[in-house]
Amino acid sequence: QSHRYQQNPHHTDPNTGEKGDNDPVDICEIGGRVAKRGDVLEVKVLGILAMVDDGETDWKVLVIDVNDPMAGKLDSLEDIEKEMPGFLANTRDWFRIYKRPDGKPDNKFGFDGEFQDA
C-alpha cells in the first residue's frame, strides 16, 4: 500500500512551533542499497526527526527496506545506535548544516534535536 502525506502549511505543529512546508514527508531509507527515484519499497519505520527548515516544519522519517540485510537487526532507534554507532548523531548533524554551501543558516529541530521512536 502506498501513501503520500503532505505537510500542512496551514497547521502549526506543536512540536516545532512552525507550519508545515507543503511538501511530501521526507522518507530517509538507511539501508545499504541506493534506491532509484520512483522505486517502490516495502519499508519498516524506525523513527522520525522534526526538522525546521526556513521556518517550516520538515519531518524526516527514518526507515529501512525490509529486504536489506540489516532489517532484521533494526526495529528501533536504540537498535540503530547499537548496530550503527554514531549514525543518528551524524544524520542529524548533516540535516543541520547541509544548506550552508547555499549561504543559508543551520536548520533547527523540534524535540531538542532528538529523533523520536516510531
Side-chain angles (χ1 to χ4, degrees), residues 12-107:
T12 300
D13 190 292
N15 301 298
T16 64
E18 304 291 347
K19 294 183 178 182
D21 67 358
N22 202 33
D23 290 336
V25 173
D26 297 325
I27 306 300
C28 305
E29 200 280 317
I30 66 170
R33 180 176 82 89
V34 177
K36 297 183 189 102
R37 183 180 299 253
D39 280 357
V40 176
L41 307 175
E42 183 178 351
V43 298
K44 181 174 13 176
V45 177
L46 302 171
I48 194 163
L49 181 65
M51 189 175 88
V52 176
D53 180 4
D54 289 330
E56 298 175 324
T57 301
D58 189 4
W59 290 98
K60 308 296 183 190
V61 181
L62 237 55
V63 305
I64 188 158
D65 183 336
V66 298
N67 295 310
D68 189 277
M70 289 293 291
K73 296 179 181 181
L74 302 178
D75 291 309
S76 67
L77 296 174
E78 184 179 323
D79 291 343
I80 295 172
E81 198 58 44
K82 177 183 169 193
E83 298 293 331
M84 305 163 70
F87 179 86
L88 294 173
N90 290 336
T91 299
R92 181 186 49 246
D93 290 345
W94 185 84
F95 278 123
R96 181 186 324 277
I97 66 170
Y98 81 103
K99 291 194 173 182
R100 281 184 187 173
D102 296 332
K104 294 186 177 184
D106 288 0
N107 290 313

